[in-house]
Coordinates of all heavy atoms in Angstrom, one line a residue:
R80 N -5.2 0.3 -5.2 CA -6.2 -0.1 -4.2 C -5.6 0.1 -2.8 O -6.3 -0.3 -1.8 CB -6.4 -1.7 -4.4 CG -7.0 -2.1 -5.7 CD -8.4 -1.7 -5.9 NE -9.3 -2.2 -4.8 CZ -9.8 -3.4 -4.9 NH1 -9.6 -4.2 -5.9 NH2 -10.6 -3.8 -3.9
Y81 N -4.5 0.8 -2.6 CA -3.9 0.8 -1.3 C -4.7 1.6 -0.3 O -4.4 1.4 0.9 CB -2.5 1.4 -1.4 CG -2.4 2.8 -1.7 CD1 -2.4 3.8 -0.7 CD2 -2.2 3.3 -3.1 CE1 -2.3 5.1 -1.1 CE2 -2.2 4.6 -3.4 CZ -2.2 5.5 -2.4 OH -2.1 6.9 -2.7
A82 N -5.6 2.4 -0.7 CA -6.4 3.2 0.3 C -7.8 2.6 0.5 O -8.6 3.2 1.2 CB -6.5 4.6 -0.2
D83 N -8.0 1.4 0.1 CA -9.4 0.8 0.3 C -9.7 0.6 1.7 O -8.8 0.3 2.6 CB -9.4 -0.6 -0.4 CG -9.5 -0.6 -1.9 OD1 -9.6 0.6 -2.4 OD2 -9.4 -1.6 -2.6
A84 N -11.0 0.8 2.1 CA -11.4 0.9 3.5 C -11.3 -0.4 4.2 O -10.9 -0.5 5.3 CB -12.8 1.5 3.5
V85 N -11.7 -1.5 3.5 CA -11.8 -2.8 4.2 C -10.5 -3.3 4.7 O -10.4 -3.6 5.9 CB -12.5 -3.9 3.3 CG1 -12.4 -5.3 3.9 CG2 -13.9 -3.5 2.9
P86 N -9.4 -3.4 3.9 CA -8.2 -3.8 4.5 C -7.6 -2.9 5.5 O -7.0 -3.3 6.5 CB -7.2 -3.9 3.2 CG -7.9 -3.0 2.2 CD -9.4 -3.1 2.5
W87 N -7.9 -1.6 5.4 CA -7.4 -0.7 6.4 C -8.1 -0.8 7.8 O -7.5 -0.6 8.8 CB -7.5 0.8 5.9 CG -6.3 1.1 5.1 CD1 -6.2 1.1 3.7 CD2 -5.0 1.5 5.6 NE1 -4.9 1.5 3.3 CE2 -4.2 1.7 4.5 CE3 -4.5 1.7 6.8 CZ2 -2.8 2.1 4.6 CZ3 -3.1 2.0 7.0 CH2 -2.3 2.2 5.8
A88 N -9.3 -1.3 7.7 CA -10.0 -1.6 9.0 C -9.3 -2.7 9.7 O -9.1 -2.7 10.9 CB -11.5 -1.9 8.7
L89 N -8.9 -3.7 8.9 CA -8.2 -4.9 9.5 C -6.8 -4.4 9.9 O -6.3 -4.9 11.0 CB -8.1 -6.0 8.4 CG -9.4 -6.7 8.1 CD1 -9.2 -7.6 6.9 CD2 -9.9 -7.4 9.3
L90 N -6.1 -3.6 9.2 CA -4.8 -3.1 9.6 C -4.9 -2.3 10.9 O -4.0 -2.4 11.7 CB -4.2 -2.2 8.5 CG -3.7 -2.9 7.3 CD1 -3.4 -1.9 6.1 CD2 -2.4 -3.7 7.7
A91 N -6.0 -1.5 11.0 CA -6.2 -0.8 12.3 C -6.3 -1.7 13.4 O -5.8 -1.5 14.5 CB -7.4 0.2 12.2
D92 N -7.0 -2.8 13.2 CA -7.2 -3.8 14.3 C -5.8 -4.4 14.6 O -5.5 -4.7 15.8 CB -8.2 -4.9 13.9 CG -8.3 -6.0 14.9 OD1 -8.8 -5.7 16.0 OD2 -8.0 -7.1 14.6
A93 N -5.0 -4.7 13.6 CA -3.7 -5.3 13.8 C -2.8 -4.3 14.6 O -2.1 -4.7 15.5 CB -3.1 -5.6 12.4
A94 N -2.9 -3.0 14.2 CA -2.1 -2.0 14.9 C -2.5 -2.0 16.4 O -1.7 -1.9 17.3 CB -2.2 -0.7 14.3
A95 N -3.8 -2.0 16.6 CA -4.3 -1.9 18.0 C -3.9 -3.1 18.8 O -3.7 -3.0 20.0 CB -5.9 -1.9 18.0
R96 N -3.7 -4.3 18.2 CA -3.3 -5.5 18.9 C -1.7 -5.6 18.9 O -1.2 -6.6 19.5 CB -3.8 -6.7 18.2 CG -5.3 -6.9 18.4 CD -5.8 -8.2 17.9 NE -5.8 -8.3 16.4 CZ -5.0 -9.1 15.7 NH1 -4.1 -9.8 16.3 NH2 -5.0 -9.1 14.4
G97 N -1.0 -4.7 18.3 CA 0.4 -4.8 18.3 C 1.0 -5.8 17.4 O 2.1 -6.3 17.6
A98 N 0.2 -6.3 16.4 CA 0.6 -7.4 15.6 C 1.8 -6.9 14.7 O 1.9 -5.7 14.3 CB -0.6 -7.8 14.7
S99 N 2.6 -7.9 14.3 CA 3.7 -7.6 13.3 C 3.1 -7.6 11.9 O 2.4 -8.5 11.5 CB 4.8 -8.7 13.5 OG 5.3 -8.7 14.8
V100 N 3.4 -6.5 11.2 CA 2.9 -6.3 9.8 C 4.0 -5.9 8.9 O 4.9 -5.1 9.3 CB 1.8 -5.3 9.8 CG1 1.3 -5.0 8.4 CG2 0.6 -5.7 10.7
A101 N 4.0 -6.5 7.7 CA 4.9 -6.0 6.6 C 4.0 -5.7 5.4 O 2.9 -6.4 5.2 CB 5.9 -7.1 6.2
V102 N 4.3 -4.7 4.6 CA 3.4 -4.3 3.6 C 4.1 -4.5 2.2 O 5.3 -4.1 2.1 CB 3.0 -2.8 3.7 CG1 2.0 -2.4 2.6 CG2 2.3 -2.6 5.1
V103 N 3.3 -5.0 1.3 CA 3.8 -5.2 -0.1 C 3.0 -4.4 -1.0 O 1.8 -4.6 -1.2 CB 3.8 -6.7 -0.5 CG1 4.3 -6.9 -1.9 CG2 4.6 -7.6 0.5
L104 N 3.6 -3.4 -1.7 CA 2.9 -2.6 -2.7 C 3.2 -3.4 -4.0 O 4.3 -3.3 -4.6 CB 3.5 -1.2 -2.7 CG 2.8 -0.2 -3.7 CD1 1.4 -0.1 -3.4 CD2 3.6 1.1 -3.7
D105 N 2.2 -4.0 -4.5 CA 2.3 -5.0 -5.6 C 1.8 -4.3 -6.9 O 1.1 -3.3 -6.9 CB 1.5 -6.2 -5.3 CG 1.8 -7.4 -6.2 OD1 2.9 -7.3 -6.9 OD2 1.1 -8.4 -6.3
R106 N 2.2 -4.9 -8.0 CA 1.8 -4.5 -9.4 C 2.0 -3.0 -9.6 O 1.1 -2.3 -10.1 CB 0.3 -4.9 -9.6 CG 0.1 -6.4 -9.5 CD -1.3 -6.8 -9.8 NE -1.4 -8.3 -9.9 CZ -2.5 -9.0 -10.0 NH1 -3.6 -8.4 -10.0 NH2 -2.4 -10.3 -10.1
V107 N 3.1 -2.5 -9.3 CA 3.5 -1.1 -9.5 C 3.9 -1.0 -10.9 O 4.8 -1.7 -11.4 CB 4.6 -0.7 -8.5 CG1 5.0 0.7 -8.8 CG2 4.1 -0.8 -7.1
P108 N 3.4 0.0 -11.7 CA 3.8 0.1 -13.1 C 5.3 0.4 -13.2 O 5.9 1.1 -12.3 CB 3.0 1.4 -13.5 CG 1.8 1.4 -12.6 CD 2.3 0.9 -11.3
S109 N 5.9 -0.2 -14.2 CA 7.4 -0.1 -14.3 C 7.8 0.5 -15.6 O 9.0 0.4 -16.0 CB 8.0 -1.5 -14.1 OG 7.5 -2.4 -15.1
G110 N 6.9 1.2 -16.3 CA 7.2 1.7 -17.6 C 7.9 3.1 -17.5 O 8.1 3.6 -16.4
P111 N 8.3 3.6 -18.6 CA 9.0 4.9 -18.6 C 8.1 6.0 -18.0 O 6.9 6.0 -18.3 CB 9.2 5.2 -20.1 CG 9.2 3.8 -20.8 CD 8.2 3.0 -20.0
G112 N 8.6 6.8 -17.2 CA 7.9 7.9 -16.6 C 7.0 7.5 -15.4 O 6.3 8.3 -14.8
D113 N 7.1 6.2 -15.0 CA 6.3 5.7 -13.8 C 7.1 5.9 -12.5 O 6.5 5.7 -11.4 CB 6.0 4.3 -13.9 CG 4.9 4.0 -15.0 OD1 4.1 4.9 -15.2 OD2 5.0 2.9 -15.6
A114 N 8.3 6.4 -12.5 CA 9.1 6.5 -11.3 C 8.4 7.6 -10.4 O 8.4 7.4 -9.1 CB 10.5 6.9 -11.6
D115 N 7.9 8.7 -11.0 CA 7.3 9.7 -10.2 C 6.0 9.2 -9.5 O 5.8 9.5 -8.3 CB 7.0 10.9 -11.0 CG 8.2 11.7 -11.5 OD1 9.3 11.5 -10.9 OD2 8.1 12.4 -12.5
V116 N 5.3 8.4 -10.3 CA 4.1 7.8 -9.7 C 4.4 6.9 -8.5 O 3.8 6.9 -7.5 CB 3.3 7.0 -10.8 CG1 2.1 6.3 -10.2 CG2 2.9 8.0 -11.9
L117 N 5.5 6.1 -8.7 CA 5.9 5.2 -7.6 C 6.3 5.9 -6.4 O 5.9 5.6 -5.3 CB 7.1 4.3 -8.1 CG 7.8 3.4 -7.0 CD1 6.7 2.5 -6.4 CD2 8.9 2.7 -7.7
R118 N 7.1 7.0 -6.5 CA 7.5 7.8 -5.4 C 6.2 8.4 -4.7 O 6.2 8.4 -3.4 CB 8.4 8.9 -5.8 CG 9.9 8.4 -6.0 CD 10.8 9.6 -6.1 NE 10.5 10.4 -7.3 CZ 11.0 10.2 -8.5 NH1 11.9 9.2 -8.7 NH2 10.7 11.0 -9.5
E119 N 5.3 8.9 -5.5 CA 4.1 9.5 -4.9 C 3.3 8.5 -4.1 O 2.8 8.7 -3.0 CB 3.3 10.1 -6.0 CG 2.0 10.8 -5.5 CD 1.2 11.5 -6.6 OE1 1.7 11.5 -7.7 OE2 0.1 11.9 -6.3
V120 N 3.1 7.3 -4.7 CA 2.3 6.3 -4.1 C 3.0 5.8 -2.8 O 2.3 5.6 -1.8 CB 2.0 5.1 -5.1 CG1 1.4 3.9 -4.4 CG2 1.1 5.6 -6.2
R121 N 4.3 5.5 -2.9 CA 5.0 5.0 -1.7 C 4.9 6.0 -0.6 O 4.8 5.6 0.6 CB 6.4 4.6 -2.1 CG 6.6 3.3 -2.8 CD 8.1 3.0 -2.9 NE 8.9 3.0 -1.7 CZ 9.1 1.9 -1.0 NH1 8.7 0.7 -1.4 NH2 9.8 2.0 0.2
G122 N 5.1 7.3 -1.0 CA 5.1 8.3 0.1 C 3.7 8.4 0.7 O 3.6 8.5 2.0

């Protein structure tokens, strides 16, 4: 869901206001072979 439009509209407003933001990428799959997916998503 990290590319959803609604939260990114709010993030854009936060950036425009210079607000402090930290991002949590949650519920990332942790099974075998998911490391590549994690690197791709984080990137």
Side-chain angles (χ1 to χ4, degrees):
R80 301 288 303 273
Y81 69 88
D83 286 356
V85 173
W87 275 98
L89 292 172
L90 283 169
D92 178 65
R96 291 188 288 110
S99 299
V100 177
V102 181
V103 179
L104 183 61
D105 196 14
R106 296 183 172 173
V107 175
S109 57
D113 288 328
D115 292 340
V116 174
L117 172 58
R118 281 193 297 272
E119 181 179 352
V120 170
R121 278 185 60 94

